[in-house]
Amino acid sequence: NFEVNIYGNYKYNARGIVILENGNTVLINVQKEKYHTFPGGQIDQNERIIDAYIREIKEETGYNVKNIKHIGHLTLVRDTYISISYGFIGYAVGEKSEVNLTEEEKIWDPVVEEYSFDEVEKILTAESSDNPRANTARVFLEEAKKYL
């Protein structure tokens, strides 16, 4: 695990899959933009990548995660920056708490939704051609299958 402390024209994100006790997972339905993605977000300066994943999952879904595995990363070139997303898979443990979104995150009107993995695959496949964020989630799902 290394620390991320170089920003400039780069955005570093940690996101991934949370496996619930019943074997399902969660997606964030970003209602304002009409797409689904796995929970996650920006890595804070000097924050370890895995710690960002744990924090983002807790903030966006209310779940604590354990038995975490790194499943890969994607680099996407955007118009004004380069996005590097680190993908993880983790297992939900304990009781779910309230989500803790920032005001900026609330603007997107996100809703946590639970699905089977088959349902997730159908949703992300349908949305991935129109939205790069859904495509990132679809790629991480494909990688996660190797660990399930």
Side-chain angles (χ1 to χ4, degrees):
N1 295 322
F2 58 90
E3 293 181 351
V4 175
N5 58 16
I6 301 171
Y7 279 80
N9 289 333
Y10 290 83
K11 291 189 179 182
Y12 297 92
N13 300 286
R15 67 180 57 256
I17 298 164
V18 178
I19 300 176
L20 306 178
E21 287 183 13
N22 63 7
N24 287 346
T25 190
V26 294
L27 286 175
I28 304 297
N29 180 350
V30 184
Q31 296 183 110
K32 184 175 181 178
E33 296 291 320
K34 297 180 175 53
Y35 73 92
H36 292 78
T37 189
F38 289 115
Q42 187 165 327
I43 301 168
D44 293 336
Q45 191 147 0
N46 297 318
E47 183 177 33
R48 291 182 336 142
I49 297 168
I50 195 165
D51 292 337
Y53 166 73
I54 293 167
R55 175 183 54 77
E56 287 287 347
I57 296 303
K58 180 71 172 177
E59 289 174 359
E60 293 189 2
T61 70
Y63 289 107
N64 290 305
V65 288
K66 299 285 184 199
N67 299 324
I68 300 163
K69 293 178 181 66
H70 177 245
I71 58 172
H73 71 277
L74 288 173
T75 302
L76 302 171
V77 178
R78 309 275 192 194
D79 290 339
T80 59
Y81 64 92
I82 296 171
S83 173
I84 301 174
S85 294
Y86 296 89
F88 294 89
I89 186 169
Y91 292 81
V93 293
E95 293 295 317
K96 182 179 187 275
S97 62
E98 293 293 319
V99 298
N100 184 22
L101 301 176
T102 65
E103 292 304 313
E104 184 179 331
E105 290 169 327
K106 290 177 185 176
I107 292 169
W108 299 102
D109 197 17
V111 176
V112 179
E113 298 175 341
E114 181 179 331
Y115 295 101
S116 72
F117 279 94
D118 287 341
E119 292 170 317
V120 168
E121 188 165 25
K122 288 176 186 172
I123 291 167
L124 295 178
T125 298
E127 295 177 357
S128 63
S129 63
D130 297 330
N131 191 300
R133 290 183 178 100
N135 192 49
T136 298
R138 185 188 56 76
V139 171
F140 283 154
L141 177 63
E142 290 301 314
E143 287 301 309
K145 286 180 183 180
K146 299 174 185 174
Y147 299 93
L148 299 175

